Amino acid sequence: DIQMTQSPSSLSASVGDRVTITCRASQGISNYLAWFQQKPGKAPKSLIYASSSLQSGVPSKFSGSGSGTDFTLTISSLQPEDFATYYCQQYNSYPRTFGQGTKVEI
Amino acid sequence: EVQLVESGGGLVQPGGSLRLSCAASGFSFSSYRMNWVRQAPGKGLEWVSYISTSSSTIYYADSVKGRFTISRDNAKNSLYLQMNSLRAEDTAVYYCARGNDFDIWGQGTMVTVSS
């Protein structure tokens, strides 16, 4: 199975900050990497697929990059609605696997 | 509106069974691969199962293999998860999610396995 490791597990940031979350795969996954945002008590929401493609309706302050084993999610200017937990996921092979999550707190 | 709505969760005793449903609307359900994902209380996301458009290809997480069965009815725009021999560790919110990149998720249904 491919292990996905996110760092950091949590971070504290302020409104307006630029935030970067890293995701590392235990083996190469090409660009089959997705990012999700989850707020407490809500279902996950898809932000990015294919490492860097924004889902429809997702604001451009979110961006993704990477290929192979190392990936990043960047939020260019953190807003109050962005405080949430973020997960990466590989869909290169089965079983699909998620990172452990990164909680972005004020 | 593109939507997935799960149902069928509830409280069940260890060793019991439940059948979850996921009703799709607003898109051509038969054209999309589908998945089940779960989240135990306070924990991260865990992929559970996958089914192809024609049901010809199915995968399961090792943690549920042999106990859970995924299926779909394209005529009814519905996805199912039959869960047997339930254990306490199966307690979670269960989500259905669309496609290879999980672009659409349902709101989830809670399954609690407890005596």
Side-chain angles (χ1 to χ4, degrees):
Chain A
D1 298 1
I2 298 174
Q3 271 202 321
M4 306 301 292
T5 304
Q6 288 181 233
S7 59
S9 295
S10 65
L11 65 90
S12 295
S14 301
V15 172
D17 283 355
R18 180 183 178 91
V19 167
T20 297
I21 298 169
T22 296
C23 179
R24 175 163 289 177
S26 61
Q27 58 187 268
I29 58 170
S30 184
N31 68 334
Y32 295 107
L33 191 283
W35 289 97
F36 303 92
Q37 176 194 65
Q38 187 178 34
K39 297 180 180 179
K42 300 295 186 182
K45 173 187 174 184
S46 178
L47 298 176
I48 287 171
Y49 65 99
S51 177
S52 60
S53 297
L54 233 56
Q55 288 286 3
S56 175
V58 173
S60 58
K61 62 181 172 181
F62 292 97
S63 63
S65 66
S67 183
T69 60
D70 294 312
F71 302 86
T72 59
L73 172 70
T74 300
I75 309 171
S76 60
S77 177
L78 206 62
Q79 297 302 306
E81 63 270 20
D82 302 328
F83 290 95
T85 299
Y86 293 85
Y87 294 93
C88 64
Q89 182 226 26
Q90 66 81 19
Y91 56 101
N92 179 73
S93 63
Y94 289 94
R96 304 303 200 213
T97 45
F98 291 86
Q100 80 279 13
T102 295
K103 188 173 184 179
V104 177
E105 300 174 297
I106 300 174
Chain B
E1 180 192 4
V2 174
Q3 199 172 9
L4 296 170
V5 178
E6 300 93 339
S7 61
L11 174 64
V12 61
Q13 291 189 337
S17 298
L18 272 181
R19 188 195 196 205
L20 305 184
S21 299
C22 169
S25 59
F27 65 98
S28 177
F29 177 73
S30 60
S31 299
Y32 285 87
R33 307 165 183 182
M34 296 295 295
N35 302 272
W36 286 100
V37 177
R38 68 184 180 183
Q39 186 170 37
K43 302 297 184 182
L45 300 169
E46 179 189 15
W47 170 81
V48 171
S49 186
Y50 158 90
I51 188 167
S52 63
T53 55
S54 63
S55 305
S56 59
T57 301
I58 286 173
Y59 297 111
Y60 297 100
D62 284 346
S63 57
V64 307
K65 202 173 295 183
R67 301 186 299 121
F68 289 12
T69 302
I70 191 172
S71 62
R72 66 190 295 162
D73 185 334
N74 288 338
K76 294 184 178 179
N77 292 330
S78 293
L79 175 72
Y80 306 102
L81 187 67
Q82 177 67 42
M83 304 187 297
N84 298 331
S85 303
L86 282 162
R87 307 166 180 167
E89 54 265 36
D90 296 318
T91 294
V93 176
Y94 285 74
Y95 299 100
C96 55
R98 186 180 82 167
N100 248 4
D101 57 357
F102 296 60
D103 63 341
I104 301 293
W105 294 62
Q107 86 290 349
T109 187
M110 183 70 205
V111 172
T112 302
V113 184
S114 175
S115 55

